[in-house]
Amino acid sequence: MTAATIEAKVSKPLFRGRRETIPAQRRSQDEASSQEQVLTTRIGLHMPTGLSFEDWERAGRQISSLVNSSTWWLGDWLVYGKEHYTDRYQRGIRSAGLQYQTLRNYAWVSRRFEFDRRRPALSFQHHAEVASLPVDEQETWLDRAEQNKWTTKQLRNAISLAREGEKANDGTEVEAKRQLSVPDSRVQCWHKAAQQAGTDLEHWMLTTLDNAAERILAEQQ
């Protein structure tokens, strides 16, 4: 029995797709069953020939959802093992072939978020970015990430910019405020740029202006 035959026996269908090139009427039921399915195996993903873009895209969404969910699963699994099998849970980790350090990171995030505080619309990594913060700050940043549909990188950048702003305001300096008349079209453009950078408009404007000033002053020296 070949390795491919063995692997086929442990493959599982992710979903049944639609083929773009050959009408379903021209294929037998057995052929359709084997050729239209996206199959998951222990070593990879078997994609059917002629899979439509819509089905390929749907497969990506399902895989992404499974990866995100499995990270929570592993974290919760280790937390349970440490609480119930103190003297034996590491044996279970070894038998499952998992990396302990990775699981520890997953478990730490899982402990920081009870089930009712986990956001299905956000990834595990979004939660990991704010896991070290106090609970009220976690909720604030997750709310912003969810509302603005931030990526993990955008969330990280926004938190970093906010911390820089807090450090700058630790002193007793009184900041001068000026009003500037700006056309709405420019403001809308700046809002889009700030959103893509993962921060609010005020931080984006200050950072952009500071960078531009530093560059011009450096060129004149």
Side-chain angles (χ1 to χ4, degrees), residues 24-33:
Q25 300 93 313
R26 294 173 53 188
R27 299 191 305 274
S28 67
Q29 187 174 9
D30 290 342
E31 182 185 7
S33 177

Side-chain angles (χ1 to χ4, degrees), residues 44-104:
L45 195 69
H46 286 290
M47 309 288 288
T49 303
L51 186 69
S52 70
F53 172 79
E54 290 76 14
D55 285 331
W56 172 81
E57 187 178 40
R58 182 155 59 101
R61 290 197 302 268
Q62 291 188 13
I63 293 169
S64 177
S65 177
L66 287 171
V67 169
N68 184 58
S69 298
S70 66
T71 308
W72 285 117
W73 298 339
L74 287 170
D76 292 336
W77 177 76
L78 182 60
V79 170
Y80 185 92
K82 291 189 71 172
E83 291 176 350
H84 292 81
Y85 317 112
T86 306
D87 57 338
R88 292 174 293 168
Y89 79 96
Q90 289 195 3
R91 188 180 72 187
I93 293 173
R94 290 193 297 270
S95 66
L98 300 169
Q99 295 294 324
Y100 178 61
Q101 185 59 48
T102 300
L103 288 178
R104 281 186 61 187

Side-chain angles (χ1 to χ4, degrees), residues 48-199:
T49 303
L51 186 69
S52 70
F53 172 79
E54 290 76 14
D55 285 331
W56 172 81
E57 187 178 40
R58 182 155 59 101
R61 290 197 302 268
Q62 291 188 13
I63 293 169
S64 177
S65 177
L66 287 171
V67 169
N68 184 58
S69 298
S70 66
T71 308
W72 285 117
W73 298 339
L74 287 170
D76 292 336
W77 177 76
L78 182 60
V79 170
Y80 185 92
K82 291 189 71 172
E83 291 176 350
H84 292 81
Y85 317 112
T86 306
D87 57 338
R88 292 174 293 168
Y89 79 96
Q90 289 195 3
R91 188 180 72 187
I93 293 173
R94 290 193 297 270
S95 66
L98 300 169
Q99 295 294 324
Y100 178 61
Q101 185 59 48
T102 300
L103 288 178
R104 281 186 61 187
N105 295 336
Y106 294 165
W108 178 71
V109 177
S110 295
R111 286 195 189 94
R112 296 287 292 167
F113 292 94
E114 299 294 335
F115 271 69
D116 59 354
R117 293 207 307 116
R118 298 177 185 179
R119 311 291 183 95
L122 299 176
S123 71
F124 180 90
Q125 292 303 320
H126 282 94
H127 293 76
E129 289 294 332
V130 301
S132 62
L133 301 176
V135 172
D136 57 340
E137 292 185 36
Q138 290 176 357
E139 294 299 310
T140 297
W141 283 111
L142 291 179
D143 283 341
R144 292 178 183 176
E146 198 165 3
Q147 292 166 5
N148 295 307
K149 297 182 179 180
W150 284 343
T151 63
T152 304
K153 183 179 180 180
Q154 288 174 324
L155 174 59
R156 185 186 309 124
N157 290 341
I159 295 173
S160 178
L161 286 172
R163 286 174 175 170
E164 291 176 4
E166 290 173 358
K167 291 179 181 178
N169 293 327
D170 280 345
T172 58
E173 298 179 358
V174 178
E175 296 184 3
K177 294 186 178 180
R178 300 288 185 269
Q179 290 186 346
L180 182 65
S181 178
V182 180
D184 289 341
S185 59
R186 287 191 176 183
V187 175
Q188 292 175 3
C189 181
W190 294 346
H191 268 295
K192 290 181 180 179
Q195 186 175 1
Q196 291 184 5
T199 185

